Amino acid sequence: MIITPLTVDRIPDLEKLLALGEPYIRLRGSSDYWLHATLFANTCPLAITDGQVVGSVIAFRSQVDPSEIYLQDVMTHPNHRRIGITRALVEDVHRQGSLWGCQRLFLTSEPDNHAAHKAWLAMGFSNVPGDTTEQGVSVIYNYKGPGKHRAVYERQIGA
């Protein structure tokens, strides 16, 4: 497996991969991925196996609080799960954050995405305390806008 930054020529492959993430990942426009490839490539790694994109992280460093990196979309091809691809991609973003002196990685997830909940906890993220608990997952009301309740996860960067 090769881990490499997202490039413009890999956008069609990325879109095919992310389309497999429904309903938890919603495909964005190609121009959004062009921005990620040209402005945020250091935090948008792809996992390539046998020339195919089998995993990706779309993330970016906050401009409001540069000590934070937000992981927006994380996806591993269903045929390549449970072999460490997601962990390797998240660690790549973590390393970049460390080089920049960032202090925190964070992300959100749908409260009913139990597989993601288990994966984030296994990778050292904590579920941020919220307004309620749904099936063992802490949820913050309206985190992504009215009616868009989310589980929020964070992991510290550094010591």
Side-chain angles (χ1 to χ4, degrees):
M1 172 178 63
I2 298 168
I3 301 216
T4 186
L6 173 62
T7 55
V8 171
D9 63 311
R10 288 288 191 175
I11 291 172
D13 297 327
L14 172 68
E15 291 173 320
K16 287 178 192 170
L17 174 68
L18 293 177
L20 301 173
E22 289 284 346
Y24 299 114
I25 294 178
R26 291 158 195 85
L27 200 57
R28 300 169 202 292
S30 295
S31 63
D32 292 336
Y33 299 123
W34 181 88
L35 287 171
H36 290 299
T38 58
L39 299 177
F40 304 108
N42 288 341
T43 55
C44 295
L46 301 177
I48 311 289
T49 299
D50 298 327
Q52 303 231 347
V53 175
V54 296
S56 66
V57 170
I58 300 298
F60 42 88
R61 187 178 186 186
S62 172
Q63 291 183 354
V64 173
D65 183 350
S67 72
E68 298 184 335
I69 296 176
Y70 176 69
L71 284 70
Q72 179 174 289
D73 291 323
V74 179
M75 180 66 190
T76 298
H77 191 285
N79 295 339
H80 296 270
R81 290 187 178 151
R82 304 192 57 79
I83 58 171
I85 291 172
T86 299
R87 182 179 298 276
L89 290 166
V90 170
E91 292 305 326
D92 188 76
V93 175
H94 185 109
R95 276 189 295 280
Q96 182 61 54
S98 182
L99 289 173
W100 285 335
C102 295
Q103 298 174 11
R104 178 174 91 126
L105 296 178
F106 74 107
L107 60 101
T108 66
S109 182
E110 303 279 345
D112 67 344
N113 191 343
H114 301 293
H117 175 75
K118 288 174 60 176
W120 300 129
L121 295 180
M123 283 188 269
F125 285 80
S126 61
N127 182 204
V128 175
D131 302 307
T132 191
T133 300
E134 296 178 12
Q135 298 178 16
V137 178
S138 184
V139 177
I140 299 175
Y141 291 141
N142 303 317
Y143 191 85
K144 283 195 153 181
K148 296 182 180 180
H149 312 323
R150 294 293 184 271
V152 178
Y153 298 87
E154 67 180 1
R155 185 170 94 177
Q156 300 305 308
I157 298 174

